[in-house]
Amino acid sequence: MEAIKFKTLTNDQDIDTFLSRFESYVGVKLPYDYAQRSTFAAGFRGEEMVGGYMLVTRPEFRSLMFVPDAVRAEHDFFKNDSYDMMEINGVWMSASLKTAAEQFGIWLRLILDAFKCRKQYVLLMANQRNLNIRHVHAMTGAKDIYEGEPMLMAGEKSHSTIRVSYTTRWSLLLNVPRYWLEYKSRERRFHRRLKQRAYSRVTAAKA
């Protein structure tokens, strides 16, 4: 199988494809001005874009815009300099990435790119109901800033409930072994299901 190759997206056609794939994946359309302030990285298998992520390294951060003013006024995190922060957003993976190694490859590249940005705090945001992403964020050692309905501006769209959290660049990096163990566990479960399906088909054919 052809290896996945990564590149930073610079032309409008590739960025439009990325945003379209992300919207299909999570059901949220990211604003144009926000996209302009982001760095896009994507993995390609041949000519096909199969996954990617966005890094935002200067304010304003989309995740923090959704936090209610009352929370911002009381939470100690907001005492930090916003220029010591960055945001990870736009994470998506194609359904064609079947193996744990392929999926882990996307996450590892994301982690290394985020670490190289040299920002102390890394902001994370997700649909509160997405248990898979919630589990991934927990493995980074993330601490919650806000959970609940997003504070939306007129015309803005997002999930009905969100979770905004943060981790540090070092925590993100040092937890890489945990991500690998999780993906190996997923791979074992995947192969176990394949064997069970194969056994069921053989059993059914003999019946």
Side-chain angles (χ1 to χ4, degrees):
M1 185 175 293
E2 188 173 0
I4 297 172
K5 297 180 179 179
F6 293 87
K7 70 177 184 179
T8 300
L9 306 184
T10 56
N11 70 67
D12 291 342
Q13 182 176 351
D14 282 343
I15 291 173
D16 286 345
T17 299
F18 180 105
L19 292 171
S20 176
R21 297 283 178 84
F22 175 73
E23 184 178 358
S24 297
Y25 184 73
V26 303
V28 173
K29 184 177 179 63
L30 294 173
Y32 179 75
D33 61 334
Y34 178 74
Q36 282 188 312
R37 294 187 287 106
S38 306
T39 298
F40 292 82
F44 289 81
R45 180 180 286 140
E47 298 298 317
E48 181 188 5
M49 190 183 298
V50 294
Y53 49 89
M54 299 163 58
L55 303 177
V56 185
T57 57
R58 64 183 189 274
E60 296 284 334
F61 299 112
R62 180 171 170 82
S63 57
L64 297 185
M65 291 169 60
F66 292 156
V67 177
D69 292 339
V71 176
R72 296 170 69 97
E74 295 180 1
H75 201 293
D76 286 343
F77 179 77
F78 292 94
K79 297 176 183 178
N80 297 306
D81 187 340
S82 59
Y83 284 91
D84 286 336
M85 306 174 191
M86 66 171 294
E87 183 173 65
I88 295 173
N89 206 338
V91 180
W92 66 276
M93 296 184 197
S94 168
S96 67
L97 299 179
K98 299 292 187 183
T99 70
E102 291 173 326
Q103 297 169 8
F104 178 76
I106 299 283
W107 283 109
L108 182 60
R109 182 61 179 250
L110 184 162
I111 290 163
L112 294 176
D113 281 352
F115 184 81
K116 287 187 289 187
C117 290
R118 295 184 175 275
K119 300 291 185 177
Q120 183 175 358
Y121 301 105
V122 182
L123 292 162
L124 307 167
M125 183 177 74
N127 178 356
Q128 194 177 22
R129 297 174 182 172
N130 189 324
L131 297 182
N132 287 333
I133 294 298
R134 190 184 188 100
H135 182 55
V136 170
H137 286 183
M139 288 191 291
T140 71
K143 299 178 181 179
D144 287 349
I145 296 174
Y146 173 70
E147 288 190 60
E149 295 183 3
M151 187 180 73
L152 298 175
M153 302 291 288
E156 282 273 13
K157 291 184 179 180
S158 183
H159 303 293
S160 58
T161 57
I162 62 167
R163 187 184 71 263
V164 178
S165 56
Y166 74 93
T167 187
T168 66
R169 66 189 289 258
W170 281 105
S171 182
L172 198 64
L173 183 68
L174 294 176
N175 278 299
V176 164
R178 294 183 66 188
Y179 316 142
W180 175 246
L181 290 174
E182 171 64 19
Y183 278 113
K184 290 302 290 183
S185 175
R186 289 189 184 187
E187 191 168 63
R188 287 193 293 271
R189 293 196 298 269
F190 173 74
H191 287 300
R192 194 179 302 124
R193 287 195 298 270
L194 289 181
K195 289 180 180 179
Q196 289 172 344
R197 290 172 187 169
Y199 177 78
S200 296
R201 285 195 295 269
V202 171
T203 303
K206 290 181 177 179

